[in-house]
Amino acid sequence: MDSLRIRGGTPLEGELRPGGSKNATLPILAATLLSSGLVDIRNVPEVRDVTLMLELLDTLGAEIETNGNGRVSINTSEVHKLVAPYDLVRKMRASFLVLGPLLARFGRVEVSLPGGCAIGSRPVDQHLKALRKLGATIDLAQGYVTARCSDRLQGADIEFDVVTVGGTQNVMMAATLADGTTRMKNAAKEPEVVELADCLRSMGALISGDGTDCITVIGQQQLHSGGCTVSADRIEVGTFLAAAAATHGRIRIVDSDPLVLETVLETFRKFGTTINIDGSTIELSASHCELKATDIVTDVYPGIPTDLQAQFLALNCVSSGSSRVIETVFENRFMHVQELVRLGANASLESPTIAVIQGVHELRGATVMATDLRASSSLVIGALVAEGISEINRIYHLDRGYERIEEKLQLLGADVERVSAH
């Protein structure tokens, strides 16, 4: 099992081009199941979660061609197996997104209840409730969701009880092949929902309102060939900005979209860093500033993403003053706190959803253990600041969402190496 060994204390300096968005790629891959033709996807990141989704599509019968340069072509015309097995779905929650497309196109599907990061239950009840409104018959037995519809799904008015990104994506995909019009209220507004809608439109779907809380889908008889280019990963961008800020460095991130990071960039300004934007380039400088502790409250888009909570928490650990980090999206997402304490952070839990941090002047190298994907990145940030050597174990979590992170850190001057267990 690989680990990362990091000698901290060096400010990150340099230029970074982020990889494609993992969170956008996964639903787009699932959407290829709706097409009767070839779907060409560019700027696909080489991360473990994407590999798992491609394995699932292959298991279902899709023909997949990759060129090793971020381009994936998928033909699902020969898909014949309509069961998404536990062995794959348990490893990654986004696998559940094949439910809507397979149900809409084939009229039946069996999907294992999902797994993934241990950051709370994250129930799929909103997915199932909405699909039932579209006319699906759904049964839960022996850990599987079995969904059927007699002919075609039927368009309907759907209002989600809570904002759900995955639920919005699953239902939006299903509605593209439903008979009639589907209107979703209280829909998620995340950029990843908009990217999915853009890809679906390239395949012939009629979708409007994405990016707002009310999305309308007019169902079609079938979808055809299409394609899209995945945008830069906004979570990777935020992670490297936090790492540069924590190490009092300076970083230029090119080919990104500052507009989808407005709240995040304003938060970095509150910490005392200087942010400059020039087109698709974001520059952060923290080389001559005193970091100021800043309260963080996660929220659905356009708020601070829950996927950047751990990184901001790590930044608060080395900022002057006290702060609170409040997690409103998922429960049980503070498992990194005790690992940061091992590095010398002064942090504790006030409640299961509130962390309290008192900034310290220095962290010390230690051996720590990653517990989930984004927690891993907070430990990397802590280790980059810490004096001495840190070893981060169980970085397979990190590999789920970050593409060659040690190589990118090395380009920014970090002393980091991947160590393979014998």
Side-chain angles (χ1 to χ4, degrees):
M1 191 177 296
D2 289 0
S3 61
L4 282 186
R5 188 172 294 157
I6 299 174
R7 183 185 295 274
T10 302
L12 297 188
E13 303 272 354
E15 184 174 285
L16 174 76
R17 177 173 281 101
S21 169
K22 173 189 82 87
N23 289 344
T25 299
L26 296 175
I28 288 171
L29 291 176
T32 64
L33 292 165
L34 292 161
S35 171
S36 58
L38 186 70
V39 181
D40 191 49
I41 311 167
R42 297 166 294 278
N43 200 33
V44 174
E46 294 181 20
V47 296
R48 180 59 178 159
D49 275 11
V50 169
T51 300
L52 287 170
M53 183 64 89
L54 291 173
E55 287 180 16
L56 176 56
L57 293 178
D58 179 70
T59 297
L60 297 173
E63 295 180 5
I64 301 168
E65 182 178 336
T66 61
N67 71 355
N69 194 30
R71 187 167 184 169
V72 178
S73 298
I74 302 176
N75 188 328
T76 62
S77 61
E78 299 300 320
V79 164
H80 58 279
K81 187 175 180 182
L82 304 179
V83 178
Y86 168 76
D87 188 53
L88 284 174
V89 180
R90 70 178 177 85
K91 298 176 183 177
M92 183 190 57
R93 183 177 180 81
S95 304
F96 199 69
L97 290 174
V98 304
L99 175 66
L102 287 175
L103 174 63
R105 183 174 169 194
F106 297 100
R108 59 187 178 87
V109 61
E110 290 182 46
V111 180
S112 170
L113 288 169
C117 283
I119 54 173
S121 60
R122 301 195 287 177
V124 295
D125 61 305
Q126 293 298 301
H127 301 234
L128 305 184
K129 180 178 179 182
L131 290 173
R132 285 189 174 108
K133 289 208 70 174
L134 293 178
T137 300
I138 296 176
D139 298 305
L140 279 71
Q142 297 180 317
Y144 277 79
V145 174
T146 300
R148 300 181 180 83
C149 60
S150 56
D151 184 15
R152 295 178 65 192
L153 293 173
Q154 301 295 310
D157 291 340
I158 294 166
E159 183 166 3
F160 293 105
D161 299 323
V162 295
V163 177
T164 163
V165 176
T168 299
Q169 293 168 331
N170 229 338
V171 175
M172 184 167 68
M173 288 187 284
T176 63
L177 294 181
D179 184 16
T181 299
T182 299
R183 298 176 183 85
M184 291 183 282
K185 296 181 180 179
N186 200 29
K189 297 182 284 187
E190 268 69 4
E192 295 79 16
V193 173
V194 177
E195 284 200 59
L196 173 61
D198 285 341
C199 187
L200 289 168
R201 279 189 285 263
S202 80
M203 296 155 58
L206 290 180
I207 302 171
S208 61
D210 45 296
T212 76
D213 61 0
C214 186
I215 299 174
T216 300
V217 184
I218 301 175
Q220 304 298 297
Q221 286 290 333
Q222 65 178 15
L223 300 187
H224 51 63
S225 299
C228 61
T229 299
V230 178
S231 69
D233 194 318
R234 64 190 177 109
I235 305 303
E236 181 182 356
V237 172
T239 299
F240 276 93
L241 290 173
T247 59
H248 291 278
R250 185 183 185 93
I251 189 173
R252 293 179 74 250
I253 297 181
V254 299
D255 295 340
S256 63
D257 184 359
L259 292 178
V260 302
L261 286 162
E262 284 186 327
T263 304
V264 170
L265 297 179
E266 184 56 36
T267 303
F268 279 114
R269 291 189 177 101
K270 291 178 181 178
F271 274 96
T273 70
T274 300
I275 298 284
N276 290 313
I277 298 171
D278 182 9
S280 62
T281 297
I282 302 169
E283 186 170 12
L284 177 145
S285 177
S287 53
H288 300 293
C289 76
E290 179 184 11
L291 295 171
K292 298 175 290 188
T294 301
D295 289 341
I296 301 294
V297 181
T298 64
D299 203 354
V300 297
Y301 189 80
I304 295 175
T306 179
D307 280 353
L308 286 176
Q309 175 255 100
Q311 298 88 317
F312 276 127
L313 193 151
L315 185 56
N316 266 318
C317 288
V318 293
S319 298
S320 178
S322 59
S323 60
R324 298 166 87 232
V325 175
I326 302 174
E327 175 59 61
T328 69
V329 180
F330 296 132
E331 76 278 15
N332 196 31
R333 203 167 195 183
F334 281 122
M335 290 183 287
H336 46 284
V337 169
Q338 287 307 310
E339 297 303 302
L340 287 167
V341 168
R342 290 177 60 81
L343 293 169
N346 183 355
S348 60
L349 294 185
E350 180 179 294
S351 76
T353 57
I354 301 175
V356 179
I357 304 100
Q358 180 66 46
V360 297
H361 293 297
E362 64 177 14
L363 297 178
R364 304 178 302 276
T367 298
V368 293
M369 181 178 68
T371 53
D372 65 62
L373 170 53
R374 304 308 172 183
S376 306
S377 60
S378 75
L379 302 183
V380 170
I381 293 169
L384 289 168
V385 175
E387 291 297 322
I389 297 175
S390 297
E391 186 160 323
I392 304 173
N393 293 317
R394 295 175 65 181
I395 62 166
Y396 60 84
H397 288 294
L398 198 66
D399 293 335
R400 288 186 51 224
Y402 292 96
E403 185 178 29
R404 299 187 297 276
I405 190 170
E406 70 276 12
E407 296 178 19
K408 293 179 179 179
L409 288 170
Q410 289 163 0
L411 289 173
L412 297 172
D415 186 346
V416 53
E417 64 174 328
R418 179 179 291 259
V419 180
S420 298
H422 297 291

